[in-house]
């Protein structure tokens, strides 16, 4: 009986999860000189894959997760001989996602707003 209740609760939670599959256009909220990004998301339940495209090329989304209205993933960019990892964590609110972007070793975070493309 307890397993059945737990299963029903888990299924109901999955039904409330935002489906963010598709294209989103992102702009940095704290930098006007940075070109916009295009996010292409593919969501499968709580798992998220896809790419981020900008003038610098395409980056693969790694470790992507969706939990209710929360979304998180990592992208890795090669800069010269080293790799730079950025962690994106955000909240979905209708047709908009507000992201905080963190870089290891950086003293500050950056912010971006992405809107669902029509």
């Amino acid at each position: 009986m307890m397993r059945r209740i737990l299963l029903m609760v888990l299924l109901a939670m999955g039904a409330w999860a935002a489906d963010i599959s598709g294209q989103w256009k992102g702009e940095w909220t704290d930098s006007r000189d940075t070109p916009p990004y295009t996010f292409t998301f593919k969501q499968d339940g709580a798992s998220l894959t896809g790419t981020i495209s900008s003038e610098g090329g395409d980056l693969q989304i790694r470790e992507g997760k969706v939990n209710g209205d929360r979304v998180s993933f990592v992208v890795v960019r090669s800069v010269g001989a080293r790799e730079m990892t950025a962690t994106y964590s955000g909240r979905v609110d209708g047709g908009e996602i507000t992201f905080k972007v963190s870089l290891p070793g950086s003293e500050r975070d950056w912010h971006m707003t992405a809107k669902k493309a029509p």
Side-chain angles (χ1 to χ4, degrees):
M1 179 67 170
M2 189 61 125
R3 284 187 189 183
R4 184 178 297 172
I5 292 171
L6 180 59
L7 180 60
M8 288 173 32
V9 168
L10 291 173
L11 288 173
M13 286 174 55
W16 292 329
D19 183 3
I20 63 169
S21 295
Q23 283 201 337
W24 297 71
K25 302 291 183 185
E27 293 187 11
W28 297 99
T29 56
D30 41 15
S31 174
R32 300 287 178 234
D33 299 331
T34 307
Y37 281 22
T38 299
F39 298 88
T40 304
F41 294 129
K42 182 168 194 268
Q43 183 178 342
D44 184 11
S47 178
L48 184 68
T49 58
T51 58
I52 298 177
S53 303
S54 71
E55 288 180 352
D58 295 346
L59 299 172
Q60 292 294 316
I61 291 171
R62 302 179 184 183
E63 303 172 31
K65 299 176 189 142
V66 178
N67 184 5
D69 66 348
R70 302 292 177 176
V71 58
S72 63
F73 56 88
V74 172
V75 294
V76 179
R77 179 184 303 272
S78 294
V79 180
R82 56 181 219 151
E83 289 188 336
M84 193 168 76
T85 302
T87 302
Y88 287 69
S89 57
R91 182 174 177 269
V92 181
D93 185 9
E96 188 170 287
I97 304 173
T98 305
F99 286 111
K100 176 177 84 171
V101 183
S102 304
L103 300 171
S106 177
E107 294 183 13
R108 67 176 285 230
D109 295 322
W110 285 266
H111 298 90
M112 171 180 278
T113 300
K115 295 185 180 184
K116 181 82 168 169

